[in-house]
Amino acid sequence: MVFFIMILLMIALTGADFAKPGEFNTDYLKKKNTTAINGLFVILVLFSHYAQYADFSGPYDIPYLVLRKHLKQMVVATFMFYSGYGMMEAIRTKGDVYINKIPDKFWKLLLRFDIAVLLYLLLNAALGIRYPIERVLLAFTTWTAVGNSNWYITAVLILYIILYVSFKPCISGGNYRNKRIWGIALTFAITAVAIYIQIKIGRPDYCYNTMMILPLGCLYSELRGDIEKIIMRSDAAYLIVLTIVTGVYIVSFFHRESFGIAGYTFWGMAFIAMVLLVTMKLSVYNGFLEWTGIHVFGIYILQRIPMSILDQMGYIENHKYMSLVAAIVASFAMAAVFQKYTDKLIRFITARRT
């Protein structure tokens, strides 16, 4: 696996641009750049899921296993943060017009997910895999799974509801900063309640331990200008902040399990702070990563289909690295087709509704 990580690193650095001394990458949160970062991490998600099927115990696998153990749920952290940031930017500029569109984002995401669930049910039928009807029905709500990944979509759908409930009453009557701050505060508070409920009903911790990062993206959108005035004042100021954040990251990493969800959340926030600081100086962008970033959902939700087929056929056990290449190619191809036709379906439904 170390060679796959090296190839991914080389891809990430292709087209990378280092800011000159005294200068900063001021468009580090521009859509194409954040999409490329997400494109990098969705490949790490694919690697992580593949590791659930393959036996990575060789000497060349150890560096990847160390990386995977270190990152854990942080492979989806940028998805959460950039989503929160982007949605808050839209709220800042469009106000009620955007907030009223959040329910549309909800049903469009759920529709894409349900189409993917149907594909998994077809796969299960072909492979002779059966699930109880209750589980199948709940799978269409994202609460359970039928071979697919689901927890991240559940978390995002919950967060869409939270954002709508939080900002709808706050922004009504005027899109002012103090009202947006109240909306962000409510988003944090209700997200905390949603996390607490999931803890009490016994949901696995990976289902909710990155949820607070999306409200963090909202907060950063509102405070970005003030933060950048401090960090981008000079290279010296940047290095001081980087040193402090690095120290916080190291300490929080080693204590991420010690304080339950609070410790993990704090580590996640430190991780995002590190990503932001790195991208202020290093622009990571190329067409390949932008493509994978644009197709994040399809790659994320469909990748287990080729993995399951290869696993059932015994190829992963006997040819784990070639099978990984096959899984990557198949996942990318399926994601491209899936997005093309689900986009068409959504446009058709939207046109019929208007």
Side-chain angles (χ1 to χ4, degrees):
M1 277 301 293
V2 68
F3 300 108
F4 285 89
I5 295 300
M6 291 172 63
I7 291 171
L8 182 59
L9 181 61
M10 287 189 290
I11 291 173
L13 292 178
T14 300
D17 183 28
F18 291 88
K20 297 177 181 178
E23 297 180 2
F24 295 88
N25 175 29
T26 55
D27 64 351
Y28 66 105
L29 286 172
K30 191 174 181 179
K31 179 67 174 177
K32 72 169 190 175
N33 293 326
T34 59
T35 298
I37 295 294
N38 282 343
L40 173 65
F41 276 101
V42 78
I43 297 173
L44 290 174
V45 170
L46 190 153
F47 288 170
S48 182
H49 285 170
Y50 186 79
Q52 297 172 7
Y53 298 84
D55 176 25
F56 288 135
S57 56
Y60 293 110
D61 297 324
I62 293 174
Y64 169 69
L65 295 177
V66 171
L67 176 66
R68 183 172 184 255
K69 184 178 180 180
H70 179 93
L71 288 176
K72 288 193 171 181
Q73 295 301 98
M74 290 306 108
V75 288
V76 302
T78 62
F79 304 163
M80 288 287 189
F81 181 83
Y82 292 145
S83 291
Y85 175 84
M87 292 179 76
M88 193 64 213
E89 286 289 288
I91 291 172
R92 278 158 48 87
T93 56
K94 300 176 183 178
D96 266 342
V97 174
Y98 180 78
I99 293 168
N100 291 332
K101 291 182 178 179
I102 293 178
D104 285 341
K105 292 177 67 68
F106 182 97
W107 74 257
K108 289 175 183 177
L109 176 59
L110 184 58
L111 176 61
R112 292 183 197 272
F113 179 85
D114 286 345
I115 293 171
V117 169
L118 288 173
L119 294 176
Y120 277 92
L121 291 175
L122 290 173
L123 173 66
N124 294 339
L127 296 178
I129 300 171
R130 300 288 183 268
Y131 290 100
I133 187 63
E134 297 86 356
R135 180 166 177 173
V136 172
L137 293 175
L138 282 174
F140 286 101
T141 71
T142 77
W143 196 251
T144 60
V146 287
N148 56 291
S149 299
N150 68 308
W151 71 265
Y152 175 77
I153 307 302
T154 307
V156 171
L157 291 174
I158 291 172
L159 286 162
Y160 281 171
I161 295 171
I162 291 172
L163 278 165
Y164 183 78
V165 170
S166 298
F167 281 96
K168 182 63 176 175
C170 290
I171 299 299
S172 296
N175 187 8
Y176 305 112
R177 190 180 194 193
N178 62 327
K179 290 190 173 186
R180 294 196 301 269
I181 293 296
W182 274 110
I184 294 170
L186 272 175
T187 301
F188 272 107
I190 301 175
T191 300
V193 172
I195 291 171
Y196 177 76
I197 291 172
Q198 291 182 78
I199 292 172
K200 296 304 289 183
I201 65 176
R203 290 277 282 176
D205 58 0
Y206 60 78
C207 293
Y208 51 78
N209 59 17
T210 54
M211 285 181 66
M212 202 63 78
I213 294 176
L214 190 141
L216 179 67
C218 296
L219 181 62
Y220 191 82
S221 169
E222 197 63 47
L223 302 180
R224 177 183 174 182
D226 300 320
I227 293 171
E228 288 181 352
K229 284 180 182 178
I230 297 171
I231 298 175
M232 296 184 178
R233 181 180 303 173
S234 65
D235 281 345
Y238 173 84
L239 288 173
I240 290 171
V241 174
L242 179 62
T243 302
I244 294 171
V245 171
T246 301
V248 170
Y249 179 84
I250 293 171
V251 172
S252 62
F253 170 78
F254 285 110
H255 293 280
R256 61 183 175 175
E257 309 289 353
S258 304
F259 301 99
I261 184 61
Y264 206 94
T265 297
F266 193 73
W267 171 58
M269 291 181 173
F271 177 85
I272 286 297
M274 290 292 292
V275 171
L276 291 173
L277 286 167
V278 169
T279 54
M280 284 179 186
K281 280 291 188 179
L282 173 64
S283 174
V284 177
Y285 171 81
N286 58 59
F288 174 77
L289 291 181
E290 184 179 29
W291 187 92
T292 56
I294 290 171
H295 294 83
V296 158
F297 180 82
I299 295 171
Y300 167 78
I301 203 65
L302 298 176
Q303 59 189 243
R304 290 187 184 274
I305 291 178
M307 292 178 191
S308 297
I309 294 172
L310 291 165
D311 185 45
Q312 286 288 323
M313 296 177 70
Y315 289 155
I316 292 180
E317 181 179 359
N318 297 314
H319 309 284
K320 60 184 177 182
Y321 299 119
M322 289 303 297
S323 293
L324 175 55
V325 173
I328 292 170
V329 173
S331 297
F332 286 6
M334 292 174 66
V337 175
F338 182 85
Q339 181 152 321
K340 178 181 178 179
Y341 287 101
T342 54
D343 282 350
K344 285 186 175 182
L345 177 60
I346 287 171
R347 284 195 298 269
F348 174 77
I349 295 173
T350 302
R352 293 293 297 270
R353 292 177 66 202
T354 55

